[in-house]
Amino acid sequence: MAKNVWILTLAQAFAMSATPMMMLLGGIIGAKLAPSEALATLPIASMVIGVALSVVPVSRLMRRFGRKPLFIAGALWAATSGGVAIIATGQQWFALFCLSGFMLGSAGAVVQQYRFAAMESVSAELAPKAASRVLVGGLVAAFVGPELAVLGGELISLPYVGAFMFLSLVSLGAAIILSFYDSQAEVTQQQASDARLDSTPASPLIHILATPGVWVAISAATIGYALMSFVMTATPLHMHHIEHHSLADTKWVIQSHIIAMYLPSLFSGYLIAKWGTSKMMLIGLLAYVVTIVVALMGAELLNYWLALVLLGIGWNFLFVSGTVLLPRYYARSERYSMQSFNDSFVFGAQAIASLSAGWVIHLLGWQVLLLSCIPFIALHLLLMAWQYFYSKQASAVENS
């Protein structure tokens, strides 16, 4: 595996540690600072909105300046967001705390480009493994992030100040690691194995989007991310504030969920190469269905834990499959436009899901929130069926 892949994996471990900190504390702090309980998850939603609104600008800046400068700038911006969060919690300023979430999200839009950079640093046959390898860094973040959030509260008596100090420190660590990223090597292997080089004229976006496979790839990542965020954002609020589980138990469930999101990355790339993206997507959707069933069966700690673990596994299979499938439908000269288009869908949907989670659980309840996920699972199955019959028809025409 190329050096860049290992650098991005280590940087992911540091940079992504900030996200579970906000995921764990955002709703809890929001419930204390927000003027209404329905707005308790707004800080988390602000983070996701920051990702969604920053995807296109980040892509355009990378096209102009290259990946490395934006990678480092993104990490420094995340460190700054930690300082803003310290001021916001100290002053009990809800709007400023939401702004810190938005800043962290905009830095997260840069982190989301790590997986594409990793795939561009290796040959085509290694792309699935490279994409999943980078996500392994999130496994480290799953342990480090929540632990630092709790440890920060023990080291510094001022509420949450220590947690956000650690957020800034891990982000600075990511910036240092990314300084070793080699921009010159990022597409060398891809050029050697891909016949569609920079000299290939870029196709109009509308022509690329006419292929059902593109929408299956976009849908896998979009629905996978949106439903995961929808349920996960609501879980700490429901567990801690409604069902009165302890913060330690809530932390354990969220931590287990994030581990389950990234642990399969140790083997999901291999499974995609062996079984294909379609089978892995179906397994991911099945995990989501079982998540809903288990969560509906009760509000015990084990129900939350098992449901969130299955939710994490389903996310990994759907997100990695969609990431691997997408580059098959565009040339290298089209990579920035298609990657930004894809991530706009993914994180736009995640923003809506995160923003609506607090409102849905407050007004409609936990059961309605879970059941509302089913139509989206069905939608992705329909898209996969469309791709299947489209491929069969195209094959029949070609053979005739």
Side-chain angles (χ1 to χ4, degrees), residues 62-98:
M62 283 189 177
R63 179 183 298 181
R64 181 173 181 181
F65 299 108
R67 294 202 187 275
K68 183 175 180 177
L70 266 294
F71 284 164
I72 295 173
L76 295 176
W77 187 241
T80 304
S81 74
V84 174
I86 290 173
I87 297 172
T89 52
Q91 298 297 318
Q92 302 286 292
W93 194 353
F94 181 66
L96 189 63
F97 185 62
C98 290

Side-chain angles (χ1 to χ4, degrees), residues 6 8 16 34 62 75 100 118 124 134 152 166 183 217 222 251 279 301 313 320 383:
W6 293 110
L8 292 167
M16 285 297 293
M62 283 189 177
S100 72
V134 168
F166 279 128
S183 298
T222 300
K251 182 204 76 169
K279 288 183 180 178
L301 178 60
I313 295 171
V320 176
L383 288 171

Side-chain angles (χ1 to χ4, degrees), residues 190-233:
Q190 189 87 356
Q191 286 177 323
S193 61
D194 190 352
R196 307 180 72 191
L197 301 180
D198 278 335
S199 58
T200 304
S203 302
L205 189 61
I206 190 67
H207 291 171
I208 301 174
L209 298 178
T211 307
V214 171
W215 289 107
V216 172
I218 293 173
S219 172
T222 300
I223 291 177
Y225 233 121
L227 296 189
M228 181 277 295
S229 184
F230 190 51
V231 175
M232 188 267 291
T233 301

Side-chain angles (χ1 to χ4, degrees), residues 90-148:
Q91 298 297 318
Q92 302 286 292
W93 194 353
F94 181 66
L96 189 63
F97 185 62
C98 290
L99 176 61
S100 72
F102 182 89
M103 292 171 63
L104 184 61
S106 61
V110 179
V111 176
Q112 295 302 326
Q113 292 291 318
Y114 290 3
R115 70 192 196 277
F116 291 120
M119 293 171 67
E120 292 160 6
S121 298
V122 299
S123 57
E125 59 269 18
L126 288 177
K129 293 180 180 178
S132 62
R133 184 68 53 83
V134 168
L135 293 180
V136 171
L139 179 61
V140 178
F143 285 100
V144 173
E147 291 299 334
L148 289 180

Side-chain angles (χ1 to χ4, degrees), residues 346-358:
V346 173
F347 299 107
Q350 188 194 11
I352 294 171
S354 297
L355 189 60
S356 61

Side-chain angles (χ1 to χ4, degrees), residues 207-263:
H207 291 171
I208 301 174
L209 298 178
T211 307
V214 171
W215 289 107
V216 172
I218 293 173
S219 172
T222 300
I223 291 177
Y225 233 121
L227 296 189
M228 181 277 295
S229 184
F230 190 51
V231 175
M232 188 267 291
T233 301
T235 297
L237 191 61
H238 192 257
M239 276 191 71
H240 190 60
H241 281 279
I242 297 177
E243 294 295 335
H244 305 294
H245 288 276
S246 68
L247 180 60
D249 286 343
T250 304
K251 182 204 76 169
W252 180 58
V253 168
I254 296 301
Q255 195 171 30
S256 299
H257 164 70
I258 299 172
I259 292 170
M261 286 173 64
Y262 295 106
L263 183 61

Side-chain angles (χ1 to χ4, degrees), residues 349-373:
Q350 188 194 11
I352 294 171
S354 297
L355 189 60
S356 61
W359 178 84
V360 172
I361 198 169
H362 178 66
L363 296 180
L364 303 176
W366 178 244
Q367 288 75 20
V368 172
L369 181 142
L370 294 168
L371 291 173
S372 63
C373 297

